[in-house]
Amino acid sequence: MRWTRTAAVLAAVLALGLLPAAPAAAAPGPAVELSQAEGGKGGEVTVSGSGWKPGALLMLLICGRAAPGKGVIGGTNSCANTEGRAATVNARGAFSVKLPVAEPPEPCPCVVHVAGVTGQQDAVDRAFTVAGHPVKPLPEASGDGRLAVLAAVRLDGSSGLLTWFGAPPAREVVFTVGNLGSGPVKDPVFEVGSSHGVFAPRYEERQWRGTIAPGRKALVRLPVELTAGAHGDYQVSVRYGGKVLVEQPWGVGRPWGVTLFWLLLAVVVPAALFRIGMAVVDRVRPAPAPARPLTRARPRTAPLARLRTRAPGPAREPAPGGPGDDEPTAVLPWFRPDSAPSAPESSPTTKGHA
């Protein structure tokens, strides 16, 4: 009877949620599986994944000089980028893509590198052997050193005139790191990347020359450069040992010189074409006729002057005190001697005829 009552009380307590529930299992992280662990150039390997963010866009590459857990030394510069593939995660967080087997620019050990492109920065590497590709051991780790950022981060540098006309903007990311480990760090290799919008950063390898002893700090300067014509809001990230150390925003102005150039081009080119067209028209059209010289109009009295000539006939003696022989006689134009009408001949009439 007592055991029955105890069981009933425990059941009631559990029903009311008074006892802590068992801890839920942690959600599994992104995982990647390969259909085969080795392949030759020209073949294919099926890459499947699960546990990814639904709708995420992933990038799949075969990279050299890399190993699972150690990352890809040199970033995507060590990968066969031309043979890479993209995959979109479905609603269940899974994907499956056939990836062509290609030889990366760096020697093996090689991996199949799967990384997020739009926002999700998770990356998973699976060991893969490219048959016939050279193999070279990875560089040894630099002791037991552990670097951490100790001071504020800044971007040094400014944009010049060429950047105003579309040249790649360049800066130096400056930060102070300290060695929190027990061993020195010699010539550490950082990865510097820049991202714009929802895209994940694409890292490039930058090596810093020097040795950081345990408990010491050092000022690190690493160059970062964007693509030509870049403008807008960017974010610069620095990664070391697979861990992001630095994230710094960078606002890049618009290259207005390029806009000015296109505006001038839109004005100059039509004007030049118009000038060329007019020159061609001047060449092909016929030459104009020569202009006639202007003649002075004859006075209205000219016809009368031509008609004021001496009519042929017997000479007459000038009257005393009258005009000389050299003075022409005025003759009306319709009574010229050679054109004056003759008098009609009268026919003889017969008189006396009844």
Side-chain angles (χ1 to χ4, degrees), residues 129-193:
T129 302
V130 180
H133 193 62
V135 179
K136 183 179 179 181
L138 294 177
E140 297 181 359
S142 55
D144 298 327
R146 185 165 57 90
L147 299 181
V149 177
L150 303 179
V153 184
R154 70 179 188 272
L155 291 174
D156 282 355
S158 60
S159 300
L161 181 62
L162 294 179
T163 305
W164 200 67
F165 283 96
R171 294 288 189 275
E172 276 189 343
V173 53
V174 183
F175 55 96
T176 302
V177 295
N179 187 358
L180 305 181
S182 58
V185 178
K186 182 179 180 181
D187 298 338
V189 178
F190 297 92
E191 291 177 308
V192 181

Side-chain angles (χ1 to χ4, degrees), residues 63-127:
C63 304
R65 203 180 176 196
K70 296 183 179 181
V72 180
I73 300 177
T76 55
N77 292 333
S78 302
C79 305
N81 297 311
T82 57
E83 300 296 334
R85 291 293 183 268
T88 303
V89 182
N90 58 23
R92 296 174 298 176
F95 70 91
S96 180
V97 174
K98 289 185 177 181
L99 179 65
V101 178
E103 294 185 357
E106 296 290 340
C108 285
C110 300
V111 297
V112 172
H113 180 72
V114 181
V117 176
T118 55
Q120 187 178 10
Q121 299 185 10
D122 294 329
V124 177
D125 297 327
R126 296 290 294 179

Side-chain angles (χ1 to χ4, degrees), residues 16-45:
L16 294 175
L18 298 180
L19 292 180
V32 173
E33 297 294 336
L34 305 180
S35 61
Q36 56 193 36
E38 182 177 355
K41 181 180 179 180
E44 288 184 340
V45 56

Side-chain angles (χ1 to χ4, degrees), residues 278-296:
M278 294 302 297
V280 172
V281 170
D282 290 340
R283 291 264 185 179
V284 300
R285 70 180 177 182
R292 294 181 179 180
L294 297 176
T295 57
R296 187 173 182 180

